[in-house]
Coordinates of all heavy atoms in Angstrom, one line a residue:
M182 N -29.7 -6.0 15.5 CA -29.6 -5.3 16.7 C -29.6 -3.8 16.4 O -30.2 -3.0 17.2 CB -28.4 -5.7 17.5 CG -28.2 -5.0 18.8 SD -27.0 -5.7 19.9 CE -28.1 -6.8 20.8
L183 N -28.8 -3.4 15.4 CA -28.7 -1.9 15.1 C -30.1 -1.3 14.8 O -30.3 -0.1 15.0 CB -27.8 -1.7 13.9 CG -26.3 -2.0 14.2 CD1 -25.5 -1.9 12.9 CD2 -25.7 -1.1 15.3
E184 N -31.0 -2.1 14.3 CA -32.3 -1.6 13.9 C -33.2 -1.5 15.1 O -34.2 -0.8 15.1 CB -32.9 -2.4 12.8 CG -32.1 -2.3 11.5 CD -32.6 -3.2 10.4 OE1 -33.3 -4.2 10.7 OE2 -32.2 -3.0 9.3
T185 N -33.0 -2.3 16.2 CA -33.9 -2.3 17.3 C -33.5 -1.5 18.5 O -34.4 -1.1 19.3 CB -34.1 -3.8 17.7 OG1 -32.9 -4.4 18.1 CG2 -34.7 -4.6 16.6
V186 N -32.2 -1.3 18.7 CA -31.8 -0.6 19.9 C -31.8 0.9 19.5 O -31.1 1.4 18.6 CB -30.4 -1.0 20.3 CG1 -29.9 -0.2 21.5 CG2 -30.4 -2.5 20.7
Q187 N -32.6 1.7 20.3 CA -32.8 3.1 20.0 C -31.4 3.9 19.8 O -31.3 4.6 18.9 CB -33.6 3.7 21.1 CG -33.9 5.2 20.9 CD -34.8 5.4 19.7 OE1 -35.7 4.6 19.4 NE2 -34.6 6.5 19.0
E188 N -30.5 3.6 20.7 CA -29.2 4.3 20.7 C -28.4 4.0 19.5 O -27.5 4.8 19.1 CB -28.4 4.1 22.0 CG -29.0 4.6 23.2 CD -30.0 3.6 23.9 OE1 -30.3 2.6 23.3 OE2 -30.3 3.9 25.0
L189 N -28.7 2.9 18.8 CA -27.9 2.5 17.7 C -28.5 2.8 16.4 O -27.9 2.6 15.3 CB -27.6 0.9 17.8 CG -26.9 0.4 19.0 CD1 -26.7 -1.1 18.9 CD2 -25.5 1.1 19.1
R190 N -29.7 3.4 16.4 CA -30.4 3.7 15.1 C -29.7 4.8 14.3 O -30.0 5.0 13.2 CB -31.8 4.1 15.4 CG -32.7 2.9 15.9 CD -34.1 3.3 16.0 NE -34.8 2.1 16.4 CZ -36.1 2.1 16.7 NH1 -36.8 3.2 16.7 NH2 -36.7 1.0 17.1
I191 N -28.8 5.5 14.9 CA -28.0 6.5 14.2 C -27.0 5.9 13.2 O -26.5 6.6 12.3 CB -27.3 7.5 15.1 CG1 -26.3 6.8 16.0 CG2 -28.3 8.3 15.9 CD1 -25.4 7.7 16.8
Y192 N -26.8 4.6 13.3 CA -25.8 3.9 12.5 C -26.5 3.2 11.4 O -27.5 2.6 11.6 CB -25.0 3.0 13.3 CG -24.2 3.7 14.4 CD1 -24.6 3.5 15.7 CD2 -23.1 4.5 14.2 CE1 -24.0 4.2 16.8 CE2 -22.4 5.1 15.2 CZ -22.9 5.0 16.5 OH -22.2 5.6 17.5
D193 N -25.9 3.2 10.2 CA -26.4 2.4 9.1 C -26.0 0.9 9.3 O -24.9 0.6 9.4 CB -25.7 2.9 7.8 CG -26.1 2.1 6.6 OD1 -26.9 1.1 6.7 OD2 -25.5 2.3 5.5
P194 N -27.1 0.1 9.5 CA -26.8 -1.3 9.8 C -26.0 -2.0 8.7 O -25.2 -2.9 9.0 CB -28.2 -1.9 10.0 CG -29.1 -1.0 9.4 CD -28.5 0.4 9.4
H195 N -26.1 -1.6 7.5 CA -25.3 -2.2 6.4 C -23.9 -1.9 6.5 O -23.0 -2.7 6.3 CB -25.9 -1.8 5.1 CG -27.3 -2.2 4.9 ND1 -27.8 -3.4 4.8 CD2 -28.4 -1.4 4.9 CE1 -29.1 -3.5 4.7 NE2 -29.5 -2.2 4.8
A196 N -23.5 -0.7 6.9 CA -22.1 -0.3 7.1 C -21.6 -1.0 8.3 O -20.4 -1.4 8.3 CB -22.0 1.2 7.3
A197 N -22.4 -1.2 9.3 CA -21.9 -1.9 10.5 C -21.6 -3.4 10.2 O -20.6 -3.9 10.6 CB -22.9 -1.8 11.6
V198 N -22.4 -4.0 9.4 CA -22.2 -5.4 8.9 C -20.9 -5.4 8.1 O -20.1 -6.4 8.3 CB -23.4 -5.9 8.2 CG1 -23.0 -7.3 7.5 CG2 -24.6 -6.1 9.1
D199 N -20.7 -4.5 7.3 CA -19.4 -4.5 6.5 C -18.2 -4.3 7.4 O -17.2 -5.0 7.2 CB -19.4 -3.3 5.5 CG -20.4 -3.6 4.3 OD1 -20.8 -4.7 4.1 OD2 -20.8 -2.6 3.7
I200 N -18.3 -3.4 8.4 CA -17.2 -3.3 9.3 C -16.9 -4.6 10.1 O -15.8 -5.0 10.3 CB -17.5 -2.1 10.3 CG1 -17.4 -0.8 9.5 CG2 -16.5 -2.1 11.4 CD1 -18.0 0.4 10.3
Y201 N -18.0 -5.2 10.6 CA -17.9 -6.4 11.3 C -17.2 -7.5 10.4 O -16.3 -8.2 10.9 CB -19.3 -6.9 11.7 CG -19.4 -8.3 12.2 CD1 -19.0 -8.5 13.6 CD2 -19.7 -9.4 11.4 CE1 -19.1 -9.8 14.1 CE2 -19.8 -10.7 11.9 CZ -19.4 -10.9 13.3 OH -19.4 -12.2 13.8
R202 N -17.6 -7.6 9.2 CA -17.0 -8.6 8.3 C -15.5 -8.3 8.1 O -14.7 -9.2 8.0 CB -17.8 -8.7 7.0 CG -19.1 -9.3 7.1 CD -19.8 -9.5 5.7 NE -21.1 -10.1 5.9 CZ -22.2 -9.7 5.2 NH1 -22.1 -8.8 4.3 NH2 -23.3 -10.3 5.4
D203 N -15.2 -7.1 7.9 CA -13.8 -6.7 7.8 C -13.0 -7.1 9.0 O -11.9 -7.6 8.9 CB -13.6 -5.2 7.6 CG -14.2 -4.7 6.2 OD1 -14.4 -5.5 5.3 OD2 -14.4 -3.5 6.1
H204 N -13.5 -6.9 10.2 CA -12.8 -7.3 11.4 C -12.7 -8.9 11.5 O -11.7 -9.4 11.9 CB -13.5 -6.8 12.7 CG -13.3 -5.3 12.8 ND1 -12.0 -4.8 13.0 CD2 -14.1 -4.3 12.9 CE1 -12.1 -3.5 13.2 NE2 -13.4 -3.1 13.1
V205 N -13.8 -9.6 11.1 CA -13.7 -11.0 11.1 C -12.7 -11.5 10.2 O -11.9 -12.4 10.5 CB -15.1 -11.6 10.8 CG1 -15.0 -13.1 10.6 CG2 -16.1 -11.3 11.9
D206 N -12.6 -11.0 9.0 CA -11.6 -11.4 8.0 C -10.2 -11.1 8.5 O -9.3 -11.9 8.4 CB -11.8 -10.6 6.7 CG -13.1 -11.1 6.0 OD1 -13.6 -12.2 6.3 OD2 -13.5 -10.4 5.0
A207 N -10.0 -9.9 9.2 CA -8.7 -9.6 9.7 C -8.3 -10.5 10.8 O -7.2 -10.9 11.0 CB -8.7 -8.1 10.2
L208 N -9.3 -10.9 11.7 CA -9.0 -11.8 12.8 C -8.6 -13.2 12.2 O -7.7 -13.8 12.7 CB -10.2 -12.0 13.7 CG -10.5 -10.9 14.7 CD1 -11.9 -11.0 15.2 CD2 -9.5 -10.9 15.8
A209 N -9.2 -13.6 11.1 CA -8.8 -14.9 10.5 C -7.4 -14.8 9.9 O -6.7 -15.8 10.0 CB -9.9 -15.3 9.4
A210 N -7.1 -13.7 9.4 CA -5.8 -13.5 8.7 C -4.6 -13.4 9.7 O -3.6 -14.0 9.6 CB -5.8 -12.4 7.8
D211 N -4.8 -12.6 10.8 CA -3.8 -12.3 11.8 C -4.5 -11.9 13.1 O -4.7 -10.7 13.3 CB -2.8 -11.3 11.3 CG -1.7 -11.0 12.3 OD1 -1.7 -11.5 13.4 OD2 -0.7 -10.3 11.9
S212 N -4.8 -12.9 13.9 CA -5.6 -12.6 15.1 C -5.0 -11.6 16.0 O -5.7 -10.8 16.6 CB -6.0 -13.9 15.8 OG -4.9 -14.6 16.3
Y213 N -3.7 -11.7 16.2 CA -3.0 -10.8 17.2 C -3.1 -9.4 16.7 O -3.5 -8.5 17.5 CB -1.5 -11.2 17.4 CG -0.8 -10.3 18.3 CD1 -1.0 -10.4 19.7 CD2 0.0 -9.3 17.8 CE1 -0.3 -9.6 20.6 CE2 0.6 -8.4 18.7 CZ 0.5 -8.6 20.0 OH 1.1 -7.7 20.9
A214 N -2.7 -9.1 15.5 CA -2.8 -7.8 15.0 C -4.2 -7.2 14.9 O -4.4 -6.1 15.3 CB -2.1 -7.7 13.6
A215 N -5.1 -8.1 14.5 CA -6.5 -7.6 14.4 C -7.1 -7.3 15.8 O -7.8 -6.3 15.9 CB -7.3 -8.7 13.7
R216 N -6.8 -8.2 16.7 CA -7.3 -7.9 18.1 C -6.8 -6.6 18.6 O -7.5 -5.8 19.2 CB -6.9 -9.1 19.0 CG -7.5 -9.1 20.3 CD -7.1 -10.4 21.1 NE -8.0 -10.6 22.2 CZ -8.8 -11.6 22.2 NH1 -8.9 -12.4 21.2 NH2 -9.6 -11.8 23.2
K217 N -5.5 -6.4 18.4 CA -4.9 -5.1 18.9 C -5.6 -3.9 18.2 O -5.9 -2.9 18.9 CB -3.4 -5.1 18.5 CG -2.7 -3.9 19.0 CD -1.2 -4.0 18.7 CE -0.5 -2.7 19.1 NZ 0.8 -2.5 18.5
K218 N -5.8 -4.0 16.9 CA -6.5 -2.9 16.2 C -7.9 -2.7 16.7 O -8.3 -1.5 16.9 CB -6.5 -3.2 14.7 CG -7.1 -2.0 13.9 CD -7.0 -2.3 12.4 CE -7.7 -1.2 11.7 NZ -7.8 -1.4 10.3
I219 N -8.6 -3.8 16.9 CA -10.0 -3.7 17.4 C -10.0 -3.0 18.8 O -10.8 -2.1 19.0 CB -10.6 -5.1 17.5 CG1 -10.9 -5.6 16.1 CG2 -11.9 -5.0 18.3 CD1 -11.2 -7.1 16.0
L220 N -9.1 -3.4 19.7 CA -9.1 -2.8 21.0 C -8.7 -1.3 21.0 O -9.2 -0.5 21.7 CB -8.1 -3.6 21.9 CG -8.6 -5.0 22.3 CD1 -7.6 -5.8 23.1 CD2 -9.9 -4.9 23.1
E221 N -7.8 -1.0 20.1 CA -7.4 0.4 19.9 C -8.6 1.2 19.4 O -8.9 2.4 19.8 CB -6.3 0.6 18.9 CG -4.9 0.1 19.5 CD -3.8 0.0 18.5 OE1 -4.1 0.2 17.2 OE2 -2.7 -0.3 18.9
T222 N -9.4 0.7 18.5 CA -10.6 1.3 17.9 C -11.6 1.5 19.0 O -12.2 2.6 19.1 CB -11.1 0.5 16.7 OG1 -10.1 0.4 15.7 CG2 -12.4 1.2 16.2
V223 N -11.9 0.5 19.8 CA -12.8 0.6 20.8 C -12.4 1.6 21.9 O -13.2 2.3 22.5 CB -13.1 -0.9 21.5 CG1 -13.8 -0.8 22.8 CG2 -13.8 -1.7 20.5
A224 N -11.1 1.6 22.2 CA -10.6 2.5 23.2 C -10.9 4.0 22.9 O -10.9 4.8 23.8 CB -9.1 2.3 23.4
R225 N -11.2 4.3 21.6 CA -11.6 5.7 21.3 C -12.9 6.1 22.0 O -13.1 7.3 22.1 CB -11.7 5.8 19.8 CG -10.4 5.7 19.0 CD -10.6 6.0 17.6 NE -9.6 5.3 16.8 CZ -9.8 4.9 15.5 NH1 -10.9 5.1 14.9 NH2 -8.8 4.2 14.9
L226 N -13.7 5.1 22.4 CA -14.9 5.4 23.1 C -14.7 5.6 24.6 O -15.7 6.0 25.3 CB -15.9 4.3 22.8 CG -16.5 4.1 21.4 CD1 -17.4 2.9 21.4 CD2 -17.2 5.4 21.0
A227 N -13.5 5.3 25.1 CA -13.2 5.5 26.5 C -13.6 6.9 26.9 O -13.3 7.9 26.2 CB -11.8 5.2 26.8
G228 N -14.3 7.0 28.0 CA -14.7 8.3 28.5 C -16.2 8.6 28.1 O -16.8 9.5 28.7
D229 N -16.7 7.9 27.1 CA -18.1 8.1 26.8 C -18.8 6.9 27.3 O -19.0 5.8 26.7 CB -18.2 8.1 25.2 CG -19.7 8.4 24.8 OD1 -20.6 8.2 25.6 OD2 -19.9 8.8 23.6
E230 N -19.2 7.0 28.6 CA -19.8 5.9 29.3 C -21.0 5.3 28.7 O -21.2 4.1 28.6 CB -20.1 6.3 30.8 CG -20.4 5.1 31.6 CD -20.5 5.4 33.1 OE1 -20.1 6.5 33.5 OE2 -21.1 4.6 33.8
A231 N -21.9 6.2 28.2 CA -23.1 5.8 27.5 C -22.8 4.9 26.3 O -23.4 3.8 26.1 CB -24.0 6.9 27.1
A232 N -21.9 5.3 25.5 CA -21.6 4.6 24.3 C -20.9 3.3 24.6 O -21.2 2.2 24.1 CB -20.6 5.4 23.4
G233 N -20.0 3.3 25.6 CA -19.4 2.1 26.1 C -20.4 1.1 26.6 O -20.3 -0.1 26.4
N234 N -21.3 1.6 27.4 CA -22.4 0.7 28.0 C -23.2 0.0 26.9 O -23.5 -1.2 26.9 CB -23.3 1.4 28.9 CG -22.6 1.6 30.3 OD1 -21.9 0.8 30.8 ND2 -23.0 2.8 30.9
V235 N -23.6 0.8 25.9 CA -24.3 0.2 24.7 C -23.5 -0.8 24.0 O -24.0 -1.9 23.7 CB -24.7 1.3 23.7 CG1 -25.3 0.8 22.5 CG2 -25.8 2.3 24.4
L236 N -22.2 -0.6 23.8 CA -21.4 -1.5 23.1 C -21.3 -2.8 23.9 O -21.4 -3.9 23.4 CB -20.0 -0.9 22.9 CG -19.0 -1.9 22.3 CD1 -19.4 -2.3 20.9 CD2 -17.6 -1.3 22.2
I237 N -21.0 -2.7 25.2 CA -20.8 -3.9 26.0 C -22.1 -4.7 26.2 O -22.1 -5.9 26.0 CB -20.3 -3.6 27.4 CG1 -18.9 -2.9 27.3 CG2 -20.2 -4.8 28.3 CD1 -17.8 -3.8 26.6
H238 N -23.2 -4.0 26.3 CA -24.5 -4.7 26.4 C -24.8 -5.4 25.1 O -25.3 -6.5 25.1 CB -25.7 -3.7 26.8 CG -25.7 -3.4 28.2 ND1 -26.0 -4.3 29.2 CD2 -25.4 -2.2 28.9 CE1 -25.9 -3.7 30.4 NE2 -25.5 -2.4 30.2
A239 N -24.5 -4.8 24.0 CA -24.7 -5.4 22.7 C -23.8 -6.7 22.6 O -24.3 -7.7 22.1 CB -24.4 -4.5 21.6
C240 N -22.6 -6.6 23.0 CA -21.6 -7.7 22.9 C -22.1 -8.8 23.8 O -22.1 -10.0 23.4 CB -20.2 -7.3 23.4 SG -19.4 -6.2 22.2
V241 N -22.6 -8.5 25.0 CA -23.1 -9.6 25.9 C -24.3 -10.2 25.3 O -24.4 -11.5 25.3 CB -23.4 -9.0 27.3 CG1 -24.1 -10.0 28.2 CG2 -22.1 -8.6 28.0
A242 N -25.2 -9.4 24.8 CA -26.4 -10.0 24.1 C -26.1 -10.9 23.0 O -26.7 -12.0 22.9 CB -27.4 -8.9 23.7
I243 N -25.1 -10.5 22.2 CA -24.7 -11.3 21.0 C -24.1 -12.6 21.5 O -24.4 -13.7 21.0 CB -23.8 -10.5 20.1 CG1 -24.6 -9.4 19.4 CG2 -23.2 -11.5 19.0 CD1 -23.8 -8.4 18.7
A244 N -23.2 -12.5 22.5 CA -22.5 -13.7 23.0 C -23.4 -14.7 23.6 O -23.2 -15.9 23.6 CB -21.4 -13.2 24.0
K245 N -24.5 -14.2 24.3 CA -25.5 -15.1 24.9 C -26.6 -15.5 24.0 O -27.4 -16.4 24.4 CB -26.1 -14.3 26.1 CG -25.2 -14.1 27.3 CD -25.9 -13.4 28.4 CE -25.0 -13.4 29.6 NZ -25.7 -12.8 30.8
S246 N -26.6 -15.1 22.8 CA -27.7 -15.4 21.9 C -27.8 -16.9 21.5 O -28.9 -17.4 21.2 CB -27.5 -14.6 20.5 OG -26.4 -15.0 19.8
D247 N -26.7 -17.6 21.7 CA -26.8 -19.1 21.5 C -26.9 -19.9 22.8 O -26.7 -21.1 22.8 CB -25.5 -19.6 20.7 CG -24.2 -19.3 21.4 OD1 -24.2 -18.7 22.5 OD2 -23.2 -19.8 20.9
D248 N -27.2 -19.1 23.9 CA -27.3 -19.7 25.2 C -26.0 -20.3 25.8 O -26.1 -21.2 26.6 CB -28.5 -20.8 25.3 CG -29.8 -20.2 25.0 OD1 -30.1 -19.1 25.5 OD2 -30.7 -20.8 24.4
D249 N -24.9 -19.9 25.2 CA -23.6 -20.4 25.7 C -22.6 -19.2 25.7 O -22.0 -18.9 24.7 CB -23.1 -21.5 24.8 CG -21.7 -22.0 25.2 OD1 -21.4 -21.9 26.4 OD2 -21.0 -22.5 24.4
F250 N -22.6 -18.5 26.8 CA -21.6 -17.4 27.0 C -20.3 -18.0 27.4 O -20.0 -18.1 28.6 CB -22.2 -16.4 28.0 CG -21.5 -15.1 28.1 CD1 -20.6 -14.6 27.1 CD2 -21.7 -14.2 29.1 CE1 -20.0 -13.4 27.1 CE2 -21.1 -13.0 29.2 CZ -20.2 -12.6 28.2
S251 N -19.6 -18.4 26.4 CA -18.4 -19.2 26.7 C -17.3 -18.4 27.3 O -17.2 -17.2 27.2 CB -17.9 -19.8 25.3 OG -17.3 -18.8 24.5
P252 N -16.3 -19.1 28.0 CA -15.2 -18.5 28.6 C -14.4 -17.6 27.6 O -14.1 -16.4 28.0 CB -14.3 -19.6 29.2 CG -15.4 -20.7 29.5 CD -16.4 -20.6 28.4
P253 N -14.1 -18.0 26.4 CA -13.4 -17.1 25.5 C -14.2 -15.8 25.2 O -13.7 -14.7 25.1 CB -13.2 -17.9 24.2 CG -13.2 -19.3 24.7 CD -14.2 -19.3 25.8
E254 N -15.6 -15.9 25.1 CA -16.4 -14.8 24.9 C -16.4 -13.9 26.1 O -16.3 -12.6 25.9 CB -17.8 -15.2 24.6 CG -18.0 -15.9 23.2 CD -19.4 -16.5 23.0 OE1 -20.0 -17.0 24.0 OE2 -19.9 -16.5 21.9
Q255 N -16.4 -14.4 27.3 CA -16.3 -13.6 28.5 C -15.0 -12.9 28.6 O -15.0 -11.7 28.9 CB -16.5 -14.5 29.7 CG -17.9 -15.2 29.8 CD -18.0 -16.2 30.9 OE1 -17.3 -16.1 31.9 NE2 -18.9 -17.1 30.8
I256 N -13.9 -13.5 28.2 CA -12.6 -12.9 28.2 C -12.6 -11.7 27.2 O -12.1 -10.6 27.5 CB -11.5 -13.9 27.9 CG1 -11.3 -14.9 29.1 CG2 -10.2 -13.2 27.6 CD1 -10.5 -16.1 28.7
A257 N -13.1 -11.9 26.0 CA -13.2 -10.9 25.0 C -14.0 -9.7 25.5 O -13.5 -8.5 25.3 CB -13.8 -11.4 23.7
V258 N -15.1 -9.9 26.2 CA -15.9 -8.8 26.7 C -15.2 -8.1 27.8 O -15.2 -6.9 27.9 CB -17.3 -9.3 27.1 CG1 -18.1 -8.2 27.8 CG2 -18.1 -9.8 25.9
R259 N -14.5 -8.8 28.6 CA -13.7 -8.2 29.7 C -12.6 -7.3 29.1 O -12.4 -6.2 29.6 CB -13.2 -9.2 30.6 CG -14.2 -9.8 31.6 CD -13.6 -10.7 32.6 NE -14.6 -11.3 33.4 CZ -15.0 -12.6 33.3 NH1 -14.4 -13.4 32.4 NH2 -15.9 -13.1 34.1
E260 N -12.0 -7.8 28.0 CA -11.0 -7.0 27.4 C -11.6 -5.7 26.8 O -10.9 -4.6 26.9 CB -10.3 -7.8 26.2 CG -9.3 -8.8 26.7 CD -8.7 -9.5 25.5 OE1 -9.4 -10.0 24.7 OE2 -7.4 -9.6 25.5
L261 N -12.7 -5.8 26.2 CA -13.4 -4.6 25.7 C -13.7 -3.6 26.8 O -13.6 -2.4 26.7 CB -14.7 -5.0 25.0 CG -14.5 -5.7 23.6 CD1 -15.8 -6.3 23.1 CD2 -13.8 -4.9 22.6
C262 N -14.2 -4.2 28.0 CA -14.5 -3.3 29.1 C -13.2 -2.6 29.6 O -13.3 -1.3 29.8 CB -15.0 -4.1 30.3 SG -16.7 -4.7 30.1
R263 N -12.1 -3.3 29.6 CA -10.8 -2.6 30.0 C -10.5 -1.5 29.0 O -10.0 -0.4 29.4 CB -9.7 -3.6 30.2 CG -9.8 -4.4 31.5 CD -8.6 -5.2 31.7 NE -8.4 -6.3 30.8 CZ -9.0 -7.5 30.9 NH1 -9.8 -7.8 31.9 NH2 -8.8 -8.5 30.0
A264 N -10.6 -1.8 27.8 CA -10.3 -0.8 26.7 C -11.2 0.4 26.9 O -10.7 1.5 26.5 CB -10.5 -1.4 25.3
L265 N -12.4 0.2 27.3 CA -13.3 1.3 27.5 C -13.2 2.0 28.9 O -13.9 3.0 29.1 CB -14.8 0.8 27.3 CG -15.1 0.4 25.9 CD1 -16.4 -0.4 25.9 CD2 -15.3 1.6 25.0
G266 N -12.4 1.4 29.8 CA -12.3 2.0 31.1 C -13.6 1.7 31.9 O -13.9 2.4 32.9
L267 N -14.3 0.6 31.6 CA -15.5 0.2 32.3 C -15.2 -1.0 33.2 O -14.3 -1.8 32.9 CB -16.6 -0.1 31.4 CG -17.1 1.0 30.4 CD1 -18.1 0.4 29.4 CD2 -17.7 2.1 31.2
D268 N -15.9 -1.1 34.3 CA -15.7 -2.2 35.2 C -16.5 -3.4 34.8 O -17.8 -3.3 34.7 CB -16.2 -1.8 36.6 CG -16.0 -2.9 37.7 OD1 -15.5 -4.0 37.4 OD2 -16.5 -2.7 38.8
P269 N -15.9 -4.5 34.4 CA -16.6 -5.7 33.9 C -17.6 -6.2 34.9 O -18.6 -6.9 34.5 CB -15.5 -6.7 33.7 CG -14.3 -6.0 33.6 CD -14.4 -4.7 34.4
A270 N -17.4 -6.0 36.2 CA -18.3 -6.5 37.3 C -19.7 -5.9 37.2 O -20.6 -6.4 37.7 CB -17.7 -6.2 38.6
T271 N -19.8 -4.7 36.5 CA -21.1 -4.1 36.4 C -22.0 -4.7 35.3 O -23.1 -4.3 35.1 CB -21.0 -2.6 36.1 OG1 -20.3 -2.4 34.9 CG2 -20.2 -1.9 37.3
F272 N -21.4 -5.6 34.5 CA -22.2 -6.3 33.4 C -22.4 -7.7 33.8 O -21.6 -8.3 34.6 CB -21.4 -6.1 32.1 CG -21.2 -4.7 31.7 CD1 -20.0 -4.0 32.1 CD2 -22.1 -4.0 31.0 CE1 -19.8 -2.7 31.8 CE2 -22.0 -2.7 30.7 CZ -20.8 -2.0 31.1
D273 N -23.3 -8.3 33.1 CA -23.6 -9.8 33.4 C -22.7 -10.7 32.6 O -23.0 -11.3 31.6 CB -25.1 -10.0 33.0 CG -25.6 -11.4 33.4 OD1 -24.9 -12.0 34.3 OD2 -26.6 -11.8 32.9
I274 N -21.4 -10.7 33.1 CA -20.4 -11.5 32.4 C -20.1 -12.7 33.2 O -19.9 -12.7 34.4 CB -19.1 -10.6 32.2 CG1 -19.4 -9.4 31.4 CG2 -18.0 -11.4 31.5 CD1 -18.3 -8.4 31.3

């Protein structure tokens, strides 16, 4: 996705994969603490509507990639929207 979305081309996809894996490992070790840290990290983008929109659209696309946008995935995306100060109703959740 980082290689195909124009707005995300400024990021090194390999670094993004490493960050993703770090977060997955942290979630496996201590889901509460990791979730809190992830939401705090995402909240740094609050106020940058364009960046927030790109992030949420990417999350929705990934969540729907298996044709099953499950309730837990929907909850997670709504939490991300709240952290970003975005209205979840404006996205296809």
